[in-house]
Amino acid sequence: SPYPDALAATWTALAATPDLAGDAWVRVGFYQMLAGRHADARATLGRATLVSRDPDIRALAALFAAWCAIRATSPGDAAIASLRDSLSAAPHSRTAAVWLARLLAVSGDAAAAERVAETSLGTDAGSPDPWRLFYGGDMRRWPALVRALRAAVS
């Protein structure tokens, strides 16, 4: 997949705004991953984790780092560790749970795969999966943006 230079440049510029930096770096890292630039993507996703405390941003950065590991080499421990990090940041990340359970099962650890499935998939998530909201951009922030707008006009 070709790298979207102009779009990535726009997000890189937005990374200078502290409130947008984590999201911006996650998106640039995602584009790098899709383009097969896995080492660059992992470094960029690491930047997202450094600048953001947002659990969904941290979960997405770890999920995409796992996907980089899976695409670049054999899945192994790096992908499993990243998926565990994703679930640690956002236990409601069903996408990370499915990928982790699959990798654990394939690696021969069926008991761990079952525990992940029971814990992460067998309960009410309470929050939407960050991956499912990724393409919606700021839609996940909609309630907070509306509250801020209402406070500004009142």
Side-chain angles (χ1 to χ4, degrees):
S1 162
Y3 187 72
D5 292 302
L7 186 56
T10 299
W11 281 108
T12 299
L14 288 172
T17 304
D19 289 345
L20 303 176
D23 194 28
W25 289 128
V26 160
R27 291 178 188 283
V28 172
F30 181 73
Y31 302 142
Q32 291 168 329
M33 177 195 68
L34 291 179
R37 296 169 44 183
H38 301 115
D40 292 341
R42 284 190 301 272
T44 301
L45 295 165
R47 290 180 88 172
T49 301
L50 288 175
V51 300
S52 181
R53 302 276 40 106
D54 183 309
D56 286 354
I57 295 297
R58 298 173 70 77
L60 287 167
L63 177 67
F64 298 159
W67 288 350
C68 285
I70 290 166
R71 288 172 175 223
T73 61
S74 61
D77 294 338
I80 289 172
S82 290
L83 290 166
R84 288 187 191 283
D85 289 346
S86 182
L87 281 173
S88 176
H92 55 280
S93 177
R94 301 264 170 114
T95 303
V98 168
W99 278 85
L100 178 57
R102 178 193 167 277
L103 286 180
L104 290 169
V106 168
S107 71
D109 195 348
E114 286 179 27
R115 281 192 304 277
V116 168
E118 285 178 22
T119 301
S120 300
L121 303 175
T123 60
D124 179 25
S127 297
D129 183 333
W131 169 242
R132 292 184 51 92
L133 299 177
F134 180 68
Y135 282 104
D138 271 344
M139 289 306 295
R140 70 186 186 87
R141 294 188 188 107
W142 184 252
L145 294 171
V146 169
R147 279 192 303 275
L149 178 61
R150 286 182 178 151
V153 296
S154 48

